Amino acid sequence: MRVLANVIGYLLVGSAILAVGLWVDNYYYFQLLTFIGINTLLAVGLNMLMGYAGQISLGHAAFYGLGAYTTGILGVHLGWPPLVTLPCALLVSGLVAWLVGRPTLKLHGYYLGMGTLGVGMIVHVLFREWSSLTGGPSGLPGIPTLSLGPLEIPGGRPYMFVVWGVVLVSFAMCQRLVHSRVGRALRAIHFSEQAAAAVGVDTARAKLQVFVFAGVLAGLAGFLYAHMVTFVSPSSFGFLVSVRIVAMVVIGGMASIWGSLFGASLLTMLPEWLHVFSEYEVLVYGLILVVVMIFFPQGLTRGMLDLYERARRGKTGSGS
Amino acid sequence: MQEFLQYLFSGVTNGAIYAVIALGFSTLYSATDLINFAQGEFVMLGALVLVTLWSQAHLPLWAAFPLTVLLVAAFGMVFERVAIRTVRKPSPILLVLITVGASIFLRGVAMLIWGKDAYSVPAFSKTQAIEIGGAYLLPQSLWILGIVVLLVVGLNLFYHRTLTGKAMQACAINKRAASLLGVGTQKIALLAWGLSAGLGAVAGVIIAPITMSSYDMGTMLGLKGFCAAMLGGLGNFWGAVVGGVLLGILEAMGVGYASSSLRDAIAFFLLLLILYARPTGILGKASTQRF
Amino acid sequence: MNAQEEEKPAPVLELDRVSKSFGGVRAAQEVSFSVASGHIHALIGPNGAGKTTLFNLITGIYPADDGSVLFEGRDVGRLEVYERVAAGIARTFQNVELFTGMSVLENVMVGLHVRTRCGFFGALAKWPWVRREEEQARGTALDWLKFVGLEKMAESQAGDLPFGWQRLVEIARALASRPRLLLLDEPAAGLNARETRDLGVLLRQIRTRGVTLLLVEHDMSLTMEISDRIVVLDQGRKIAEGTPREIQADEKVLAAYLGQGE
Ligand SMILES: Nc1ncnc2c1ncn2[C@@H]1O[C@H](COP(=O)(O)OP(=O)(O)O)[C@@H](O)[C@H]1O
Ligand SMILES: [Mg+2]
């Protein structure tokens, strides 16, 4: 049942992307879909940490930024090709996640929120102030477009295919994790860290592993972002971006991999639909976050399903 | 020496403001075990409401000050009713997300109302700056210090001398004990939110004359206030003052002698340092779940 | 001393003057006793006597202030909670701590955590041996569910089960880690008379599988019936130890329980 639903999910998403790629010829849509893909990557990584393992992070944009800046700095200053910067980007975000995660993940609840927020802020200050490397507040332009060896992958249609290929592979990876010994341990930690430890789970290690995993996925998203936009600046990796990723996870539903896709799509397209509100985009995020957390703590998709179920049951109940 | 004194004055002044914000965190935490990630937004509201009352409604500052605090406190209570009590199964992760969402929402609303401009109001008194050893101490700094001391003394009296205050403290330790004292925990939560929001507003009001106030000033101030609260021990009122002043001085010295770009980094390094140094959660409370 | 020890089976667990206080509350004061291999050992005492605290000290949830905990002759005081599970100590909780959002089967499979190997990369790669291990784990977990009589509930959400069954799942989960010492914190609390009787049978079966049992229990008829030896705690102190018959005749024990009524 579960397997079937997943296969259908992959087929649907895959064919939707293919269909757009084949029948649409509009750079704007390709770009929008590429951003949705990048955001999905961010959301699904954070969902592993937050939705499955129950560890909040308000600084996820830091790892996104580390991936993007590593790509940018190595590409611009040293002229390294993407095939070399990719492992570097993943390594840097993963390594920083590992270093930072060890002390930070000992925190719980509000303190974990504050700790991850602080980490995000420090990394952000670093992007802004280390001008010789990062170009400072005005950013780092001139990042080359993606190429894999002799194969050039310009923005638009080909790039969209690459990004969504990566998204689907990462989905498969996350799904394997969730339904493995490791995933069970993570879910156990979500319920109660001490109970999980008392059953034999090395909780510190499991949390650190998933933190690094989420960090590496964010670094990958950063790499893809840097080559897409060919420009990085600190404002793309600040606190509000971290909150936006959190909002994607929350809206899609914690501990729901497909939900992350929904949340990322919604929050990426929302500003496009609400063009007039572009100034007040963040206001809408804030409101969504509050409302969803109060009324649909299970996420919007699950919440809607529940509402529908209740309505239907109510109807049949009164009808019989 | 003159330089040093100048940095010291500005550090202590800023530190006192962090201390007031820290008091807001502490009052809420000690009554409800909750940390409000939107606390900084109450500070922003305090400053901007004061600006409006003074410049649009033409109220004198001495009248606008208490009115602002009351308005923001009332808003804090409304917030508790609307967004906190309605949560069916409160957990830290949910409340973090709600208050983070609220902080962003309030920021957006403030941008709608006040735009992206920065405002200022005149100092509380028009006396000249006082010269001490070649450095200048603003009269507003004295006002700020005086208000901080008054607040802490007042809070301590309230918590130790009045029944409501005692009940609020009992509530933090044991919900049943609090209800035995005849004060409902719901009422206490409401009161704590009002008090905490009001303290945030006080910080906003006293900072308004010495800085430019704008819709996005709250986040950073909130974080620094939290850092001060952690440094001094969350829930400890004099600790908040010590923590705030310590942070303010470190920041001022770092900016003065090293680089102004260090300003925010210092607070975050301190915050992480203190969080890491007590990984079990400050006061050892957060993680000892009982079986 | 030595002569006495030689005629008994070797101890699985030895507590030596273990102490723990919380602020002013002295929850355990120099408690010493040992649990012989293959025995069912009971720990009784009025509420707040420090029984659960002692379990938390043995399993490492709290560090002891003083004294030592020896498991099979080895000092486990420095080991992390999960390392003690790997060493062979498993437990259940007074307030049932199942992972409520997961299925009954998955709960028991988490219990197999220390007996399986698949790590992060293994899970991502899903090598053939990982698949095999997962299949075996599933089978073993089902066996344990069968052992406690709940194999039919394998796919239900753990949180949806009636309380008595949740206790059984917790026991299955603990057994899945293949412990040599099993600590049960009030396993009969909240069970009806019939369930309690079945529990007694189950505990004996567990013992025949070579697991030594240490249980905290308030149900005196169950305790007296199945225990080989009983330790009585009051206000953090051991006030008596002996066979069920000796304990029933002990005046200090009677006084401690009567004192509770005041
Ligand atoms: N984590 C803790 N923090 C503070 N006090 C505790 C803690 N755990 C237990 N206690 C205290 O230790 C004493 C013994 O409790 P406990 O071991 O639970 O007793 P029992 O299981 O015998 O009923 C009680 O007074 C209890 O309040
Ligand atoms: Mg107990």
Side-chain angles (χ1 to χ4, degrees):
Chain A
M1 193 55 208
R2 193 186 84 215
V3 178
L4 188 69
N6 275 328
V7 168
I8 292 175
Y10 285 115
L11 284 180
L12 271 179
V13 174
S15 49
I17 296 297
L18 262 181
V20 172
L22 292 179
W23 282 300
V24 178
D25 195 13
N26 182 331
Y27 190 83
Y28 167 77
Y29 284 115
F30 298 150
Q31 198 177 27
L32 184 64
L33 275 170
T34 304
F35 279 128
I36 290 179
I38 290 173
N39 283 333
T40 304
L41 218 48
L42 290 169
V44 81
L46 185 63
N47 205 344
M48 294 300 293
L49 180 69
M50 222 170 83
Y52 287 98
Q55 310 296 307
I56 196 170
S57 170
L58 296 175
H60 206 54
F63 305 106
Y64 182 35
L66 283 168
Y69 267 101
T70 307
T71 307
I73 289 167
L74 294 179
V76 172
H77 293 320
L78 300 179
W80 288 9
L83 266 183
V84 186
T85 57
L86 175 60
C88 295
L90 302 187
L91 198 71
V92 169
S93 12
L95 202 66
V96 174
W98 185 73
L99 285 173
V100 162
R102 279 160 52 109
T104 309
L105 290 168
K106 288 186 186 154
L107 305 172
H108 298 263
Y110 302 104
Y111 302 102
L112 181 61
M114 279 293 178
T116 50
L117 201 163
V119 167
M121 290 283 187
I122 287 178
V123 172
H124 186 245
V125 169
L126 213 66
F127 292 154
R128 211 180 53 210
E129 304 295 339
W130 198 347
S131 305
S132 57
L133 266 186
T134 63
S138 53
L140 183 70
I143 301 169
T145 51
L146 186 60
S147 60
L148 301 176
L151 184 67
E152 290 284 331
I153 304 170
R157 183 182 291 142
Y159 207 83
M160 177 187 78
F161 284 140
V162 168
V163 167
W164 279 93
V166 170
V167 169
L168 289 184
V169 169
S170 72
F171 267 36
M173 291 189 351
C174 290
Q175 231 132 24
R176 282 187 168 186
L177 270 184
V178 169
H179 298 289
S180 71
R181 169 178 178 266
V182 179
R184 281 192 296 273
L186 292 178
R187 282 180 288 154
I189 289 172
H190 192 171
F191 169 72
S192 158
E193 209 170 318
Q194 293 197 333
V199 178
V201 177
D202 183 349
T203 53
R205 185 183 152 96
K207 287 194 295 181
L208 187 60
Q209 281 179 331
V210 72
F211 193 73
V212 171
F213 177 73
V216 169
L217 272 189
L220 181 60
F223 169 85
L224 292 169
Y225 173 86
H227 282 301
M228 166 82 203
V229 184
T230 66
F231 166 76
V232 288
S233 75
S235 63
S236 311
F237 311 105
F239 175 54
L240 287 178
V241 178
S242 291
V243 174
R244 200 175 62 181
I245 308 172
V246 169
M248 289 172 190
V249 172
V250 162
I251 288 170
M254 300 239 224
S256 159
I257 288 175
W258 293 104
S260 296
L261 173 65
F262 173 75
S265 309
L266 191 72
L267 280 200
T268 315
M269 288 190 294
L270 207 62
E272 306 290 324
W273 291 339
L274 307 175
H275 248 324
V276 263
F277 289 134
S278 64
E279 284 265 287
Y280 305 107
E281 191 187 321
V282 292
L283 183 155
V284 178
Y285 290 154
L287 192 62
I288 289 179
L289 207 53
V290 175
V291 170
V292 169
M293 288 290 50
I294 293 176
F295 296 106
F296 309 107
Q298 304 271 27
L300 214 51
T301 33
R302 178 83 63 82
M304 292 297 178
L305 279 178
D306 284 352
L307 277 187
Y308 171 75
E309 274 293 309
R310 222 178 300 159
R312 212 187 50 172
R313 226 179 289 152
K315 229 180 253 165
T316 55
S318 60
S320 62
Chain B
M1 187 60 205
Q2 177 190 341
E3 226 181 13
F4 176 82
L5 268 182
Q6 196 62 62
Y7 296 151
L8 191 69
F9 290 162
S10 101
V12 170
T13 308
N14 280 334
I17 289 162
Y18 301 153
V20 178
I21 305 171
L23 288 176
F25 277 109
S26 284
T27 45
L28 187 63
Y29 180 81
S30 60
T32 64
D33 253 353
L34 197 150
I35 288 165
N36 173 19
F37 280 65
Q39 186 68 23
E41 264 46 55
F42 290 144
V43 180
M44 175 270 290
L45 283 179
L48 291 179
V49 169
L50 180 80
V51 165
T52 301
L53 289 180
W54 174 76
S55 69
Q56 305 292 316
H58 302 293
L59 286 181
L61 282 181
W62 60 261
F65 186 166
L67 191 55
T68 302
V69 173
L70 282 179
L71 280 174
V72 177
F75 177 76
M77 290 170 141
V78 171
F79 181 77
E80 194 271 341
R81 281 250 131 133
V82 172
I84 303 296
R85 196 174 300 175
T86 38
V87 182
R88 262 163 295 173
K89 285 187 202 154
S91 67
I93 199 166
L94 270 186
L95 294 172
V96 168
L97 293 175
I98 286 174
T99 54
V100 165
S103 95
I104 293 177
F105 175 69
L106 289 177
R107 227 161 93 147
V109 170
M111 189 166 79
L112 264 177
I113 300 177
W114 286 283
K116 287 186 173 174
D117 303 326
Y119 304 87
S120 73
V121 295
F124 291 178
S125 55
K126 297 205 169 46
T127 29
Q128 290 284 309
I130 306 151
E131 195 194 319
I132 301 172
Y136 289 93
L137 180 64
L138 293 174
Q140 185 68 20
S141 299
L142 293 178
W143 275 105
I144 292 174
L145 290 176
I147 287 170
V148 170
V149 172
L150 269 181
L151 283 177
V152 176
V153 171
L155 280 173
N156 272 324
L157 282 179
F158 173 65
Y159 271 72
H160 296 304
R161 294 286 153 80
T162 70
L163 199 60
T164 319
K166 281 181 189 163
M168 279 175 86
Q169 223 166 16
C171 190
I173 299 160
N174 184 338
K175 294 228 147 83
R176 255 219 351 253
S179 53
L180 284 181
L181 275 170
V183 190
T185 50
Q186 294 212 332
K187 223 182 236 164
I188 285 179
L190 194 66
L191 200 64
W193 272 90
L195 192 60
S196 160
L199 283 167
V202 171
V205 167
I206 59 178
I207 202 181
I210 57 168
T211 186
M212 298 299 281
S213 309
S214 63
Y215 77 98
D216 61 352
M217 70 193 289
T219 311
M220 211 45 101
L221 284 172
L223 288 171
K224 288 180 182 170
F226 178 74
C227 180
M230 294 297 279
L231 279 174
L234 203 51
N236 180 338
F237 298 142
W238 284 113
V241 176
V242 173
V245 170
L246 189 67
L247 174 60
I249 292 176
L250 279 174
E251 235 183 41
M253 296 299 163
V255 170
Y257 289 112
S259 144
S260 66
S261 56
L262 275 181
R263 191 184 179 88
D264 298 339
I266 288 173
F268 296 126
F269 270 116
L270 271 180
L271 177 61
L272 289 187
L273 215 65
I274 185 82
L275 282 173
Y276 293 165
R278 300 263 192 104
T280 49
I282 283 16
L283 312 179
K285 221 171 177 180
S287 79
T288 39
Q289 181 188 340
R290 285 174 70 168
F291 288 114
Chain C
M1 183 79 192
N2 263 341
Q4 205 181 5
E5 255 175 28
E6 266 155 26
E7 62 193 30
K8 280 194 292 184
V12 171
L13 179 75
E14 289 167 272
L15 301 191
D16 186 18
R17 279 164 290 156
V18 173
S19 302
K20 177 76 185 174
S21 24
F22 299 102
V25 181
R26 303 174 83 180
Q29 298 182 54
E30 306 208 333
V31 178
S32 307
F33 64 87
S34 57
V35 178
S37 177
H39 270 189
I40 294 181
H41 214 105
L43 193 56
I44 64 171
N47 271 322
K51 307 179 293 292
T52 301
T53 300
L54 222 44
F55 271 22
N56 287 336
L57 292 172
I58 296 169
T59 52
I61 285 175
Y62 305 138
D65 293 343
D66 210 354
S68 59
V69 177
L70 267 63
F71 176 65
E72 296 179 337
R74 164 183 175 211
D75 190 340
V76 293
R78 288 281 175 80
L79 296 186
E80 296 281 341
V81 179
Y82 72 92
E83 289 171 324
R84 299 190 198 196
V85 181
I89 305 177
R91 73 173 288 180
T92 65
F93 296 93
Q94 186 172 346
N95 305 311
V96 184
E97 300 274 349
L98 285 183
F99 308 123
T100 43
M102 297 162 73
S103 76
V104 168
L105 185 68
E106 281 177 319
N107 265 276
V108 182
M109 285 173 84
V110 178
L112 282 158
H113 196 86
V114 293
R115 302 292 167 230
T116 41
R117 292 188 306 128
C118 165
F120 215 82
F121 291 107
L124 288 179
K126 221 170 179 184
W127 310 114
W129 71 261
V130 174
R131 278 170 208 270
R132 268 200 308 279
E133 184 185 84
E134 186 78 6
E135 275 314 302
Q136 275 167 8
R138 184 170 287 271
T140 313
L142 270 175
D143 286 345
W144 283 118
L145 279 178
K146 208 172 282 171
F147 178 68
V148 299
L150 286 178
E151 74 273 22
K152 288 209 181 64
M153 307 310 295
E155 296 304 328
S156 315
Q157 291 275 298
D160 295 344
L161 256 50
F163 188 73
W165 288 5
Q166 292 197 13
R167 283 220 180 282
L168 293 178
V169 175
E170 214 187 15
I171 292 175
R173 183 179 73 182
L175 287 169
S177 67
R178 263 196 277 133
R180 288 183 297 286
L181 173 66
L182 177 60
L183 312 177
L184 299 162
D185 201 345
E186 304 197 13
L191 301 191
N192 61 33
R194 170 133 176 255
E195 287 170 331
T196 305
R197 229 176 307 125
D198 292 346
L199 179 73
V201 176
L202 184 71
L203 296 186
R204 285 214 171 93
Q205 278 173 353
I206 294 173
R207 177 180 40 188
T208 58
R209 294 197 166 211
V211 179
T212 306
L213 289 156
L214 175 60
L215 73 144
V216 167
E217 190 44 67
H218 281 307
D219 186 314
M220 280 309 145
S221 60
L222 176 72
T223 313
M224 294 302 164
E225 186 193 324
I226 66 170
S227 308
D228 299 304
R229 222 175 154 71
I230 296 177
V231 168
V232 188
L233 283 184
D234 186 31
Q235 296 179 12
R237 283 184 183 285
K238 182 174 98 173
I239 56 168
E241 177 172 2
T243 61
R245 190 167 308 191
E246 287 164 2
I247 294 301
Q248 273 168 321
D250 195 308
E251 279 169 17
K252 272 181 296 189
V253 178
L254 200 63
Y257 273 92
L258 288 178
Q260 196 193 7
E262 291 173 357

